[in-house]
Amino acid sequence: MNGQTLRERPLSVLWLQSGGCGGCTMSLLCAEAPDLMTLFGTAGIHLLWHPSLSEETGAEALDLFERILSGAEPLDVLCVEGSLLRGPNGTGRFHVLAGTGRPTIDWVRDLAAVAGTVLAVGTCAAYGGITAAGENIADACGLQYEGTLRGGALGGEFRARDGLPVVNVAGCPTHPNWVTETLMLLAENALKAEDLDLYQRPRFYADHLVHHGCPRNEYYEYKASAEKPSDLGCLMEHLGCLGTQAHADCNTRLWNGEGSCTRGGSACINCTAPGFEEPGHPFQQTPKFAGIPIGLPTDMPKAWFVALASLAKAATPDRVRRNAAADRIVVPPTVRPTRKG
Amino acid sequence: MSEEPKRRLIVGPFNRVEGDLEVKLEIDGGRVSAAYVNSPLFRGFERILEGRDPMDALVVAPRICGICSVSQSHAAALALAGVMGVEIPRNGMLATNLMMATENAADHLTHFHLFFMPDFARPAYEGRSWFERAEARFKAAQGSAVRGATAARAELFHVLGILGGKWPHTLTLQPGGVTRAADARDRVRLLATVGAFRRFLEDSLFGAPLDRILELAAPEDLERWRLSGPAGDFRLFLEVAEDLRLAHLGRAYGRFLSHGAYPETDGGHLYRRGTFADGRDAAFDADQVTEHHRFSRMAGRERPHPPFAGSTVPDGADEEGYSWCKAPRLAGLPYETGAIARQLVDGHPLIRALVAQDGGSVYSRVVARLLELARTVRAMEGWLRAIEPNGPWCATVEMPDNAQAVGLTEAARGALGHWLRVERGRIAGYQIIAPTTWNFSPRDLDGVPGPLEQALVGAPVQEGERTPLSVQHIVRSFDPCMVCTVH
Ligand code: SF4
Ligand code: SF4
């Protein structure tokens, strides 16, 4: 069936946090037009409990978890924010759910088993994220992935009651609308397996690249590059930008009013991707081989890139070259007289 | 209140705080006789940072915390600036202050509306003279003030969208300034955004122009506001506080510290750096800071750890440690930090008078936070007017191979420090002491409880309460951030 079915009751959502920073919740609260509380109300989304937003503390919250596990309280969506911690030595005791003496990873496994859909909110819950960086002493992983490997806390075979694998609303943090729109689609039964990409991210935002709509696109075309922080040029050649490979619509769906990483002058570090936390080089430097950036734009053959880049550099207009190395427009585009009438 | 027999209580999961918190209480005669504060989550950011390129701290450190991520960026940028010996141009400083202030102001707003006040809309308070108003305004996730504040907060974050690209985990702050220059148009657009936020505070929270809040100088002024001030959520809070005697709840040691907030070009801060203890001012000396692991689940239990020589080796088998949080001490003593500490150290007459009367309490912590909110929004307007779009925004210098420095700043909830050691061009040591590490510290080498543990002693517990409300008010009055605490 195509499209929506009407639900008899609001979509019930339980939200848990584990080894993350709470930033995806903080980001979610930045939802606008309408604000988050209004959106939930009008879209028929009911938060059963959320660690930052709900009334119930302690015993009252634990009573609710018990009701969900016993089936007395139906759970449509389990949202998990933060990576799942398996350490130390596979005990999960680096994160015990307060008041229960029991590792959060065990609670998550039990609750996932009764949930209609399981949502990983943010790259930590999706793939392990920043908590899994370095030697990963916490033994952090995602719900269904460990970096690019399937597995994780729930195992690669996991399917929720609705038949979907874990839906990975990746991003560090995730954009508020990626979460709200995923929930709204679920409330309409309008999210299917084919709406997820290879890494189980909703395609409505993951089928775009950060490079699309970047205001530095003209500099990119001419390989007119920023050399130091606060320059206006393209950030790919020297400052580590992965926007041409990053699956997200950050430059067409802006953040916090009108921002994006590249609009703020910093490289896209591809935070929606599994393994973004270990790029294998300093984040804000572009690794190169024989002067050519390693990690070329998605879908671009290397020989073409090299040929086009050298042509483009030779053809760079003076305006573009000079502005690229300044922190404001020093040479405006020429104003051509328009024909009368 | 009826007498309670001796009992123990474990409270958790503790919500409407940032991150994970469990509190163990010993209760005797209807009052808390001892409290043990546990942060049950360990991620190991200090270890994640070790071995990396020093500039990676700008990417990794903010991800310690999604609620004060710009503060973490700022501490990292200051530590890096210290090792690099770079001076930040004036515009870079103003933009940094604006981003910090946005995060802190939003945080104070979120704390009041979403975390603290909803407790007074709970059924347990039904029948109080103020209950119906509190419920209409502050019922968790539903109250009209909760909705309004969420919308106002999202709009305020446009400041970070414009200056910082996104929030949280903004990448714009650099040791030498910021990566985005604001032009004349940005400046006026931001003035409109901050102006709209001020309007929200005036219409909804205070019910009066900010100037009137800035004039509050004595407890009698507050008293008058409570009795006949403008209708608004501030007055509602004053009414609730008087009825529930929140000024007599949650007193800790009376020792406060601030790293100083919002650097100024003359080397000072908008809110001064220093300590205020037992009624006296003193300088803050970062070299007097150590961390104790005696009751933390960390190796190295027998000695104090100066942060430059600190260590983070979790000991999952440890039976004596009861938290992943370390116990920071200044000259061997526990200190409280936060908006109340900033305003006390800065010498604000109203907060000094309130603390002289009843000490740091649930009441004075919340008043200090709201007062600071008003002061900070005023300062933001001044910084915006001071921007010179044609001046420089970012300085660049080389990273030395070997150096060490500390970056000291203030997050909304208090003093934040990053101690960075660079050796052979890599991070050799990175130790973080966050505000809630100070406030929610476990016991130290001498068995002395941390500030919250102390503040909970004496809290009343009603018969049958499984999650005592007084304990919730005290805990939330600190606006804890547990993910920062244990990082
Ligand atoms: S800065 Fe990044 S996203 Fe923008 S044009 Fe260059 S490569 Fe593309
Ligand atoms: S621009 Fe890149 S790094 Fe920034 S939020 Fe989008 S995907 Fe993440």
Side-chain angles (χ1 to χ4, degrees):
Chain A
M1 187 192 60
N2 198 12
Q4 59 270 42
T5 32
L6 282 181
R7 301 181 55 85
E8 285 157 22
R9 54 176 173 79
L11 188 81
S12 65
V13 178
L14 173 69
W15 191 294
L16 295 181
Q17 294 174 328
S18 189
C21 69
C24 290
T25 288
M26 286 298 124
S27 180
L28 182 66
L29 283 170
C30 291
E32 285 188 276
D35 66 89
L36 186 69
M37 311 297 173
T38 304
L39 181 138
F40 278 174
T42 53
I45 295 166
H46 173 58
L47 266 186
L48 289 172
W49 192 73
H50 182 294
S52 316
L53 308 175
S54 304
E55 183 169 290
E56 303 86 353
T57 265
E60 303 154 325
L62 297 178
D63 291 347
L64 171 71
F65 297 175
E66 292 305 334
R67 284 204 306 282
I68 293 171
L69 289 176
S70 73
E73 179 81 57
L75 176 61
D76 296 320
V77 183
L78 173 68
C79 290
V80 180
E81 175 182 356
S83 43
L84 287 306
L85 306 187
R86 294 169 297 190
N89 305 318
T91 62
R93 306 211 60 88
F94 277 144
H95 188 206
V96 165
L97 185 70
T100 72
R102 191 165 176 246
T104 302
I105 193 168
D106 293 342
W107 279 101
V108 166
R109 286 177 177 136
D110 288 356
L111 288 160
V114 299
T117 310
V118 177
L119 224 65
V121 181
T123 301
C124 287
Y127 311 121
I130 199 82
T131 310
E135 50 185 326
N136 191 5
I137 46 173
D139 203 6
C141 64
L143 282 168
Q144 200 159 25
Y145 279 88
E146 187 169 353
T148 53
L149 297 176
R150 280 176 71 86
L154 299 178
E157 300 309 310
F158 172 85
R159 292 287 177 280
R161 261 195 295 114
D162 65 359
L164 287 179
V166 173
V167 177
N168 288 325
V169 189
C172 184
T174 182
H175 192 292
N177 295 6
W178 300 343
V179 179
T180 53
E181 286 162 19
T182 303
L183 289 173
M184 286 190 280
L185 288 168
L186 288 171
E188 289 191 336
N189 290 321
L191 195 77
K192 308 286 174 226
E194 62 270 23
D195 299 322
L196 304 180
D197 81 348
L198 178 67
Y199 291 123
Q200 296 168 202
R201 297 172 290 204
R203 291 178 52 187
F204 71 78
Y205 80 86
D207 278 358
H208 303 265
L209 295 173
V210 167
H211 183 62
H212 301 157
C214 178
R216 295 166 195 254
N217 280 165
E218 192 189 34
Y219 301 104
Y220 174 87
E221 286 162 26
Y222 290 109
K223 295 290 155 294
S225 300
E227 283 166 12
K228 54 183 191 313
S230 91
D231 284 354
L232 292 181
C234 173
L235 302 161
M236 180 200 169
E237 199 180 11
H238 305 302
L239 297 179
C241 187
L242 299 175
T244 56
Q245 303 161 51
H247 289 252
D249 55 9
C250 298
N251 268 313
T252 47
R253 175 208 295 273
L254 302 182
W255 288 78
N256 306 109
E258 54 183 84
S260 75
C261 292
T262 64
R263 284 162 201 251
S266 38
C268 166
I269 57 173
N270 199 6
C271 74
T272 59
F276 91 95
E277 67 279 3
E278 285 300 341
H281 57 82
F283 280 105
Q284 314 213 33
Q285 273 175 35
T286 307
K288 291 179 201 151
F289 185 73
I292 300 160
I294 297 172
L296 291 177
T298 296
D299 311 316
M300 183 142 194
K302 184 171 165 192
W304 274 105
F305 181 86
V306 174
L308 280 176
S310 59
L311 251 180
K313 280 206 183 201
T316 307
D318 182 57
R319 168 178 62 84
V320 176
R321 188 176 48 76
R322 284 172 58 199
N323 289 341
D327 66 7
R328 72 203 64 147
I329 291 171
V330 286
V331 186
T334 308
V335 181
R336 298 210 186 276
T338 45
R339 232 183 299 158
K340 259 206 230 137
Chain B
M1 180 193 336
S2 57
E3 281 277 294
E4 271 266 311
K6 274 193 195 195
R7 60 166 169 146
R8 283 167 175 245
L9 205 54
I10 295 179
V11 182
F14 217 108
N15 75 333
R16 281 181 284 112
V17 301
E18 176 51 47
D20 289 271
L21 171 64
E22 178 177 281
V23 185
K24 288 196 181 75
L25 301 171
E26 286 170 12
I27 297 160
D28 193 355
R31 296 202 173 264
V32 172
S33 56
Y36 298 82
V37 176
N38 174 14
S39 310
L41 168 70
F42 173 81
R43 290 172 300 161
F45 267 76
E46 291 162 332
R47 297 280 295 279
I48 290 172
L49 283 152
E50 275 172 28
R52 299 185 92 102
D53 182 272
M55 291 293 280
D56 278 0
L58 296 171
V59 173
V60 176
R63 290 177 162 81
I64 290 168
C65 179
I67 195 163
C68 47
S69 85
V70 175
S71 307
Q72 298 285 354
S73 292
H74 191 223
L78 288 170
L80 289 163
V83 301
M84 295 157 100
V86 62
E87 290 245 356
I88 184 169
R90 186 152 177 276
N91 280 334
M93 184 172 277
L94 294 169
T96 302
N97 283 351
L98 280 161
M99 288 190 264
M100 287 282 291
T102 299
E103 186 174 86
N104 289 342
D107 216 332
H108 288 345
L109 190 82
T110 310
H111 176 262
F112 183 78
H113 292 84
L114 274 67
F115 295 175
F116 181 74
M117 287 300 282
D119 279 336
F120 304 106
R122 304 173 70 112
Y125 287 125
E126 231 164 304
R128 299 274 177 175
S129 59
W130 40 262
F131 178 76
E132 278 172 21
R133 279 171 291 148
E135 195 189 29
R137 297 291 288 159
F138 292 106
K139 178 129 189 89
Q142 291 168 33
S144 55
V146 174
R147 246 186 298 128
T150 308
R153 171 190 182 279
E155 262 190 61
L156 177 65
F157 273 114
H158 288 208
V159 176
L160 268 156
I162 291 178
L163 293 176
K166 72 162 180 177
W167 182 90
H169 308 338
T170 308
L171 291 169
T172 310
L173 275 66
Q174 297 286 314
V178 294
T179 57
R180 189 186 186 284
D183 60 20
R185 167 271 170 189
D186 295 331
R187 201 177 54 77
V188 290
R189 168 56 55 198
L190 292 172
L191 275 167
T193 301
V194 175
F197 186 70
R198 169 162 50 78
R199 186 56 78 76
F200 170 80
L201 297 182
E202 295 180 339
D203 288 350
S204 171
L205 177 56
F206 296 121
L210 288 194
D211 292 337
R212 285 198 52 199
I213 295 293
L214 300 178
E215 283 162 9
L216 293 172
E220 302 77 65
D221 299 341
L222 270 188
E223 194 62 16
R224 260 195 303 281
W225 196 296
R226 177 174 66 81
L227 294 170
S228 58
D233 294 322
F234 182 53
R235 184 170 167 201
L236 176 62
F237 162 72
L238 295 176
E239 226 179 302
V240 171
E242 170 73 14
D243 185 35
L244 299 179
R245 295 171 51 83
L246 298 183
H248 300 276
L249 200 65
R251 188 171 180 160
Y253 291 107
R255 283 190 293 268
F256 303 87
L257 76 86
S258 167
H259 287 166
Y262 310 116
E264 291 177 331
T265 33
D266 62 2
H269 294 88
L270 174 69
Y271 305 139
R272 265 201 304 263
R273 172 176 296 175
T275 66
F276 182 79
D278 312 313
R280 279 188 304 279
D281 288 300
F284 169 78
D285 179 1
D287 291 339
Q288 295 284 312
V289 174
T290 55
E291 289 193 286
H292 300 183
H293 301 180
R294 176 81 172 77
F295 292 94
S296 310
R297 308 179 78 200
M298 294 282 161
R301 265 178 220 103
E302 53 310 319
R303 59 175 195 283
H305 299 260
F308 278 129
S311 84
T312 305
V313 180
D315 181 352
D318 175 37
E319 293 292 329
E320 211 170 41
Y322 59 87
S323 179
W324 296 109
C325 180
K326 299 174 184 173
R329 295 294 183 259
L330 179 67
L333 297 171
Y335 273 74
E336 176 176 342
T337 187
I340 187 171
R342 276 193 294 274
Q343 297 305 322
L344 280 170
V345 169
D346 200 48
H348 195 285
L350 174 64
I351 305 304
R352 286 227 169 162
L354 289 180
V355 170
Q357 256 176 26
D358 295 310
S361 64
V362 171
Y363 177 64
S364 49
R365 283 182 199 110
V366 174
V367 171
R369 200 169 278 129
L370 295 178
L371 184 100
E372 182 175 278
L373 179 55
R375 283 189 80 185
T376 305
V377 168
R378 254 303 137 82
M380 291 175 79
E381 293 175 329
W383 293 326
L384 276 169
R385 293 213 168 78
I387 283 178
E388 287 160 9
N390 292 325
W393 292 79
C394 195
T396 28
V397 296
E398 292 284 295
M399 179 68 61
D401 280 342
N402 298 291
Q404 64 177 37
V406 55
L408 300 175
T409 188
E410 285 280 315
R413 12 190 101 58
L416 170 66
H418 286 194
W419 277 258
L420 164 67
R421 230 162 12 91
V422 175
E423 280 169 19
R424 275 170 282 160
R426 295 267 148 189
I427 296 174
Y430 205 108
Q431 289 288 316
I432 299 149
I433 304 182
T436 311
T437 324
W438 285 102
N439 289 337
F440 284 31
S441 137
R443 283 153 169 75
D444 61 22
L445 275 170
D446 305 319
V448 176
L452 172 68
E453 295 185 331
Q454 179 65 24
L456 285 171
V457 172
V461 178
Q462 312 298 323
E463 202 171 342
E465 272 192 312
R466 292 191 293 168
T467 311
L469 274 169
S470 67
V471 169
Q472 299 193 46
H473 299 327
I474 296 170
V475 166
R476 294 201 182 95
S477 75
F478 284 90
D479 190 8
C481 177
M482 308 314 294
V483 289
C484 281
T485 308
V486 289
H487 36 74

